[in-house]
Amino acid sequence: MFIKINNNLKKLVKVMSNKRFIYFILIILATNISFNVFAQKSRTTKKAATTKITSEDQAQMLYETMLPSTEQIMIIDSIIADKNNFLNKIPLTKESGSVNSYNNFWKVSDQAQSYTYMNEFGNKVYFSKKDETGHLRLYTADKLNGKWNDIRRITDFDDEFTDINNPYMMSDGITLYFAGKSKDNLGGYDIYVTMYDADSARFYKPENIGLPYNSTENDYYCIINEFDSIGWLVTDRRQPEGKVCIYTFVPSTSRTIYDDVNMDDNKLKDLADIKSIQATWTDAKKLKDARNRLSKLIKRKTESENKNISFIVNDNTVYTSPTDFKSVANQKRFLQLCEMKQKIKDTELQLETYRKRYTTNKNKALGKEIRDIEYQLEKLHKYTQTLEKEIRNTENIAINEQ
């Protein structure tokens, strides 16, 4: 019995010795693996620490931060327009002031893509123009004795933006919207709002108005007609080169966000990016009322602009109102004719600007652009001449048939 036990003990000791060896090997391996993992983490951490955050990453982080605060707005309609000729698509009435291109307002041709806002009284203007460095800055001026005086640059928030454009002052004379470029933008131009403090004669620090007004592309204008409760957002998101989209929306007095906790993130992003205007039609009555207001607004503006027209039909007949035309078709044709003539004026100003630029920089691409614009102008002139002749002929026929 003793010998048997002794032999068993010897076998057990031998086994235990083998196990201790195995445990030792396992400890060595585990230590080595842990060291390698630690070393790998250290290298990764060091690499991450030295990696710079790109502007795209920063914009994406800002987008994710803004997403939960996306404002709930109803968009009535949208239209696509030329980037260089979209203002006439916004039926802004006199009581809301007027927006214009810098070149048209000041009767010059050297400030393409700069814009102005003039109040309803016609005695105060806000405008952007390039400074000595070529960047757009914001200015204001007052009209005294029929002349624009006291032109001054607004420097209250100047250093926060590389470029400032597209000003629009609300009818309260305090709330200013504008488009600005800065390192903290979602992308391109973002729309900001600031308030004027009369006591200190300064503007407060501007705030980015967030989603869905801003996007990763250029967002140029937020224009609000308080009297008719209609707003317009001008942006080039998802648009081809040279085009913008004008969204007509219903503004609200307070910011209301989407509070549906069960809303899918992708749906919220679609709303923030305005992927579908129908998705914003959550209140049928509100939509109908807004469309009625917009229709009346357009009619009122059209009547106001065309009450002093002059269209020669023949030696004995001159129309002074669109309602003078005998056919409804010609009333529409006449409005189209007015739009075409305005487009000709805008294009001629653009052509003059390019020609001046070409005299100092004879760039081949610019030369081709000038030839293309000249060709476009030639087509516009022929089209308006033909349209005007058709209107005149059909009106003379209608007059003779009476």
Side-chain angles (χ1 to χ4, degrees):
M1 176 71 71
F2 176 79
I3 295 174
K4 187 176 181 181
I5 292 174
N6 189 46
N7 287 336
N8 288 337
L9 283 172
K10 286 182 179 179
K11 290 179 180 179
L12 182 61
V13 169
K14 187 176 180 181
V15 171
M16 289 297 291
S17 298
N18 290 338
K19 284 186 176 179
R20 280 198 298 271
F21 178 75
I22 293 170
Y23 291 155
F24 177 76
I25 295 299
L26 289 174
I27 290 169
I28 293 297
L29 289 173
T31 304
N32 188 51
I33 291 169
S34 298
F35 177 80
N36 288 335
V37 171
F38 176 79
Q40 181 65 32
K41 284 184 177 179
S42 298
R43 286 194 294 271
T44 304
T45 304
K46 185 176 180 181
K47 183 178 179 181
T50 57
T51 302
K52 291 183 178 179
I53 298 177
T54 65
S55 57
E56 290 79 10
D57 293 334
Q58 189 171 348
Q60 183 60 35
M61 287 189 289
L62 180 61
Y63 177 88
E64 296 295 338
T65 302
M66 289 181 174
L67 189 60
S69 300
T70 299
E71 184 172 349
Q72 184 176 354
I73 63 173
M74 179 178 286
I75 299 175
I76 306 168
D77 200 2
S78 65
I79 59 170
I80 308 301
D82 291 337
K83 183 178 178 181
N84 296 324
N85 185 34
F86 65 86
L87 292 180
N88 60 358
K89 305 294 184 182
I90 300 175
L92 196 63
T93 51
K94 185 178 179 181
E95 58 267 23
S96 296
S98 61
V99 288
N100 207 340
S101 69
Y102 182 101
N103 286 346
N104 282 345
F105 185 87
W106 296 107
K107 308 303 179 187
V108 296
S109 60
D110 60 343
Q111 292 286 336
Q113 306 303 323
S114 298
Y115 292 89
T116 68
Y117 167 81
M118 184 175 67
N119 67 1
E120 65 271 31
F121 306 110
N123 60 4
K124 193 172 189 65
V125 64
Y126 293 90
F127 60 94
S128 64
K129 72 172 183 176
K130 291 181 179 178
D131 63 9
E132 61 279 0
T133 67
H135 289 283
L136 290 168
R137 299 287 124 197
L138 192 61
Y139 298 80
T140 186
D142 298 297
K143 179 176 275 192
L144 298 172
N145 299 321
K147 293 183 179 180
W148 291 107
N149 298 301
D150 192 23
I151 297 177
R152 57 198 180 278
R153 180 167 159 176
I154 299 174
T155 59
D156 302 340
F157 46 82
D158 213 21
D159 56 351
E160 297 183 32
F161 301 92
T162 56
D163 290 275
I164 303 175
N165 203 354
N166 311 96
Y168 178 77
M169 177 65 79
M170 296 283 284
S171 58
D172 61 9
I174 296 173
T175 309
L176 177 68
Y177 289 90
F178 64 88
K181 282 185 179 181
S182 82
K183 60 182 179 62
D184 299 322
N185 277 15
L186 284 173
Y189 278 104
D190 275 8
I191 299 170
Y192 289 80
V193 63
T194 180
M195 306 283 284
Y196 183 73
D197 180 23
D199 293 334
S200 63
R202 290 179 61 84
F203 283 96
Y204 290 110
K205 180 181 174 64
E207 293 183 3
N208 188 308
I209 65 173
L211 305 171
Y213 305 99
N214 289 317
S215 68
T216 55
E217 304 301 325
N218 291 295
D219 305 287
Y220 299 108
Y221 261 117
C222 180
I223 296 173
I224 297 176
N225 175 346
E226 291 178 284
F227 304 95
D228 296 280
S229 191
I230 298 292
W232 296 272
L233 170 65
V234 183
T235 174
D236 65 10
R237 65 185 76 178
R238 297 186 300 278
Q239 298 305 313
E241 184 68 26
K243 297 291 184 178
V244 294
C245 182
I246 304 173
Y247 293 103
T248 306
F249 67 94
V250 181
S252 57
T253 55
S254 60
R255 191 180 186 93
T256 303
I257 65 173
Y258 294 94
D259 56 0
D260 185 356
V261 294
N262 298 317
M263 181 179 289
D264 181 77
D265 283 347
N266 290 327
K267 182 178 180 181
L268 182 58
K269 287 182 179 180
D270 287 347
L271 290 166
D273 299 338
I274 315 182
K275 290 290 182 65
S276 167
I277 63 174
Q278 287 87 348
T280 69
W281 298 348
T282 56
D283 187 324
K285 184 179 184 304
K286 184 178 178 181
L287 177 64
K288 182 180 178 181
D289 290 345
R291 284 177 169 171
N292 286 337
R293 292 197 306 273
L294 179 62
S295 178
K296 292 177 180 179
L297 168 64
I298 293 173
K299 182 179 180 181
R300 192 168 74 247
K301 180 176 174 62
T302 301
E303 290 174 350
S304 174
E305 288 181 345
N306 297 302
K307 62 183 179 182
N308 294 318
I309 70 166
S310 178
F311 184 85
I312 300 174
V313 180
N314 54 48
D315 293 340
N316 301 314
T317 308
V318 178
Y319 289 167
T320 58
S321 170
T323 57
D324 290 340
F325 289 94
K326 306 305 177 185
S327 71
V328 175
N330 274 346
Q331 290 180 18
K332 293 180 179 179
R333 283 178 174 179
F334 176 75
L335 295 177
Q336 186 182 5
L337 178 65
C338 291
E339 284 189 8
M340 289 299 101
K341 287 185 175 181
Q342 182 60 50
K343 188 170 184 178
I344 286 174
K345 289 181 181 179
D346 294 339
T347 307
E348 286 175 341
L349 278 171
Q350 183 185 11
L351 179 60
E352 186 178 350
T353 301
Y354 282 12
R355 281 172 174 167
K356 285 184 178 180
R357 194 183 304 168
Y358 187 74
T359 57
T360 57
N361 179 20
K362 297 188 181 298
N363 183 280
K364 288 184 178 180
L366 185 59
K368 182 181 181 303
E369 187 74 18
I370 290 173
R371 290 191 295 274
D372 290 343
I373 294 175
E374 288 173 339
Y375 176 70
Q376 182 184 3
L377 263 177
E378 184 180 352
K379 288 178 63 177
L380 283 171
H381 278 296
K382 287 182 179 179
Y383 180 81
T384 53
Q385 289 171 2
T386 302
L387 182 59
E388 189 168 353
K389 185 176 181 180
E390 287 177 355
I391 295 172
R392 185 170 288 111
N393 289 342
T394 52
E395 282 303 304
N396 276 306
I397 292 172
I399 291 172
N400 291 330
E401 288 178 347
Q402 288 182 337

